[in-house]
Amino acid sequence: MSLAYAFEDLGDPAQDGLADALMRHGVRMAFAKDEEIYAQEDGTEFVYAVVRGGVRTIRLMSDGRRQIGEFYYAGEVFGLEPGPERRYAAEALCECEVLVLKRSALRRLADDESLERAVWQATRRELERTQGHLMLLGRKTACERVASFLADMVERRGSGAVDLPMSRQDIADYLGLTIETVSRMLTQLQTSRIVEFAGCRHFQVRNHDALSRLAA
Amino acid sequence: MSLAYAFEDLGDPAQDGLADALMRHGVRMAFAKDEEIYAQEDGTEFVYAVVRGGVRTIRLMSDGRRQIGEFYYAGEVFGLEPGPERRYAAEALCECEVLVLKRSALRRLADDESLERAVWQATRRELERTQGHLMLLGRKTACERVASFLADMVERRGSGAVDLPMSRQDIADYLGLTIETVSRMLTQLQTSRIVEFAGCRHFQVRNHDALSRLAA
DNA sequence: CGATCGGTTGAGTCATCTCAACAGAGGTGG
DNA sequence: CCACCTCTGTTGAGATGACTCAACCGATCG
């Protein structure tokens, strides 16, 4: 039986095996807002799962331009990179708790072969999300990007009201836009009665059809 | 001993095991320019390697906007997606030959455990390239994108003169630009004496430092 | 109560796109 | 072998979506 229920939200069922192993054997760690969980040059010997809060993975260019690779929320596994060295750093979006487990420990536990399948599936999920992100950055307009982002938040973080644990700058760096453009698109979506914000980090979808049509 | 030498160019050494298995057991197929190798809805039961020519993976939006995921050249493995269904279609860039092998056959051959490592490494390479692509699309200028593309071509396709097997439209859809912008940036790089074109699909780098500085 | 921080809004600029004309290469048929 | 056509790529002019810079606003915190 899965222990994933112990997370704040339920994770992707495909990750249950992994989440399970992390729950059983992982070490719980707490991080402050913006604290680094691992750096870009680090090795990849640890795997993580978010218990509470949120995490971003980031990559910097020499002149400071920043790209966010992905956001991770409660119940999701992160830090599973296939190479020996981190390509992205990971940072806490807000005060948060994560579970850490050595990959070697994971491998040792892998007599249960479903675990190996779970690692593979987590990698798959990662690649698929990245590919969707590619289309977003390469071919979508600012409005479509913001709509896609909100739709994704709703899909992942549950029904009804959703709160955004990240800043506008984080959203902008995820979508390849500026904070001003993100802000404008958000107010635009709001004036078109597609979403409604109650405070700048808390929203609700008003017109799901229109939102997913925009998200394309 | 690796059979990778039998490819037109040598592949990534990390893929030798895979390339080897494909050479030994794969079926050779020929495709005409623009012919589909697999479709977006297809299953992922086959793995491929390019023997001659080039391949692109593409994804379309409902209104026709196109994003190219990656280009593959002689000696490179493609079609290794972790999920059960293709997220991108693959098409021949030009008349080309590929080797095809069932993943199940690959798995059967995997008593040689280096093969499994090779599959893992190919996936790793894929993810890493996609992550670089993400930064390119999210945060680089048109000029930097084109420079990055040319630098990548030089790195992958060898020294001295390089020829581009793909159209300007392909390059544009890879870089998230229009053909006109790609063309303008190319002439700009040429007038700054950084690269030199002899015909629109054949070029040589004149100033490697400047090119990699632009590619950032 | 002032300072600071994150977010919004406005005005003007700029990079890239759109639309259109043109040019060259390659293929085809006479 | 030439004339023509088509296809791909280049160039130019103008439009526009997103960016930059700056002011403002509200919340939070000392």
Side-chain angles (χ1 to χ4, degrees), chain A residues 141-142 178 180-181 184:
Chain A
T141 65
T178 60
E180 294 96 331
T181 301
R184 278 182 245 274

Coordinates of all heavy atoms in Angstrom, one line a residue, chain A residues 141-142 178 180-181 184, chain D residues 17-22:
Chain A
T141 N 2.3 32.7 -27.6 CA 2.3 34.2 -27.3 C 2.3 34.3 -25.8 O 2.1 33.4 -25.0 CB 1.0 34.8 -27.8 OG1 -0.1 34.3 -27.1 CG2 0.9 34.6 -29.3
A142 N 2.6 35.6 -25.4 CA 2.6 35.9 -23.9 C 1.3 35.4 -23.2 O 1.4 34.8 -22.2 CB 2.9 37.3 -23.7
T178 N 8.8 39.0 -19.1 CA 9.2 39.9 -18.0 C 8.0 39.9 -17.0 O 6.9 39.6 -17.4 CB 9.4 41.3 -18.6 OG1 8.2 41.8 -19.2 CG2 10.6 41.4 -19.5
E180 N 6.5 42.5 -15.9 CA 5.5 43.4 -16.4 C 4.5 42.7 -17.3 O 3.3 42.9 -17.2 CB 6.1 44.6 -17.1 CG 6.9 45.5 -16.2 CD 8.4 45.2 -16.2 OE1 8.7 44.0 -16.5 OE2 9.2 46.1 -16.0
T181 N 5.0 42.0 -18.3 CA 4.2 41.3 -19.2 C 3.3 40.2 -18.5 O 2.1 40.1 -18.8 CB 5.0 40.6 -20.4 OG1 5.8 41.6 -21.0 CG2 4.2 39.9 -21.4
R184 N 0.5 42.1 -16.8 CA -0.5 42.6 -17.8 C -1.4 41.5 -18.3 O -2.6 41.6 -18.4 CB 0.2 43.2 -19.0 CG 0.7 44.7 -18.8 CD 1.3 45.2 -20.0 NE 2.7 45.5 -19.8 CZ 3.2 46.7 -19.3 NH1 2.3 47.6 -19.0 NH2 4.5 46.9 -19.1
Chain D
dG17 P 0.0 42.7 -31.7 OP1 -0.8 42.0 -32.7 OP2 -0.6 43.7 -30.8 O5' 0.8 41.6 -30.9 C5' 1.8 40.8 -31.5 C4' 3.0 40.6 -30.6 O4' 3.8 41.8 -30.6 C3' 2.6 40.5 -29.1 O3' 3.5 39.4 -28.6 C2' 2.9 41.8 -28.5 C1' 4.0 42.4 -29.4 N9 4.1 43.8 -29.6 C8 3.0 44.7 -29.8 N7 3.4 45.9 -30.0 C5 4.8 45.8 -30.0 C6 5.7 46.9 -30.2 O6 5.5 48.1 -30.5 N1 7.0 46.4 -30.1 C2 7.4 45.1 -29.8 N2 8.7 44.8 -29.8 N3 6.5 44.1 -29.6 C4 5.2 44.6 -29.7
dA18 P 3.3 38.8 -27.2 OP1 3.5 37.4 -27.3 OP2 2.1 39.4 -26.5 O5' 4.5 39.4 -26.4 C5' 5.8 39.1 -26.9 C4' 6.8 40.1 -26.3 O4' 6.6 41.4 -26.8 C3' 6.8 40.2 -24.8 O3' 8.2 39.9 -24.3 C2' 6.4 41.6 -24.5 C1' 6.9 42.4 -25.8 N9 6.1 43.6 -26.0 C8 4.8 43.8 -26.0 N7 4.4 45.0 -26.3 C5 5.6 45.7 -26.5 C6 5.9 47.0 -26.9 N6 5.0 47.9 -27.1 N1 7.2 47.3 -27.1 C2 8.1 46.4 -26.9 N3 8.0 45.1 -26.5 C4 6.7 44.8 -26.4
dC19 P 8.7 40.2 -22.9 OP1 9.7 39.1 -22.7 OP2 7.6 40.4 -22.0 O5' 9.5 41.6 -23.1 C5' 10.6 41.6 -24.0 C4' 11.3 42.9 -23.9 O4' 10.4 44.0 -24.3 C3' 11.8 43.3 -22.5 O3' 13.1 43.7 -22.6 C2' 10.8 44.4 -22.1 C1' 10.4 45.0 -23.4 N1 9.0 45.6 -23.3 C2 8.8 46.9 -23.7 O2 9.8 47.6 -23.9 N3 7.6 47.4 -23.6 C4 6.5 46.6 -23.3 N4 5.3 47.2 -23.3 C5 6.7 45.2 -23.0 C6 8.0 44.8 -23.0
dT20 P 13.9 44.1 -21.2 OP1 15.3 43.7 -21.5 OP2 13.1 43.6 -20.1 O5' 13.8 45.7 -21.1 C5' 14.2 46.5 -22.2 C4' 14.1 48.0 -21.9 O4' 12.7 48.4 -21.9 C3' 14.6 48.3 -20.4 O3' 15.4 49.5 -20.5 C2' 13.3 48.6 -19.7 C1' 12.3 49.1 -20.8 N1 10.9 48.7 -20.6 C2 10.0 49.7 -20.8 O2 10.3 50.9 -21.2 N3 8.7 49.3 -20.6 C4 8.2 48.1 -20.3 O4 7.0 47.9 -20.2 C5 9.2 47.1 -20.0 C7 8.8 45.7 -19.6 C6 10.5 47.5 -20.2
dC21 P 16.2 50.0 -19.3 OP1 17.5 50.5 -19.8 OP2 16.2 48.9 -18.2 O5' 15.4 51.2 -18.8 C5' 14.8 52.2 -19.7 C4' 13.8 53.1 -19.0 O4' 12.5 52.5 -19.0 C3' 14.2 53.4 -17.6 O3' 14.0 54.8 -17.4 C2' 13.2 52.6 -16.8 C1' 12.0 52.6 -17.7 N1 11.0 51.5 -17.5 C2 9.6 51.8 -17.8 O2 9.3 52.9 -18.2 N3 8.7 50.8 -17.6 C4 9.1 49.6 -17.2 N4 8.2 48.7 -17.1 C5 10.5 49.3 -16.9 C6 11.4 50.3 -17.1
dA22 P 14.4 55.6 -16.0 OP1 15.2 56.8 -16.4 OP2 15.0 54.6 -15.1 O5' 13.0 56.0 -15.5 C5' 12.0 56.5 -16.3 C4' 10.7 56.6 -15.6 O4' 10.0 55.3 -15.7 C3' 10.8 56.9 -14.1 O3' 9.9 57.9 -13.7 C2' 10.5 55.6 -13.5 C1' 9.4 55.0 -14.5 N9 9.2 53.6 -14.4 C8 10.2 52.6 -14.3 N7 9.7 51.4 -14.2 C5 8.3 51.6 -14.3 C6 7.3 50.7 -14.4 N6 7.4 49.4 -14.3 N1 6.0 51.2 -14.5 C2 5.9 52.5 -14.6 N3 6.8 53.5 -14.6 C4 8.0 52.9 -14.4

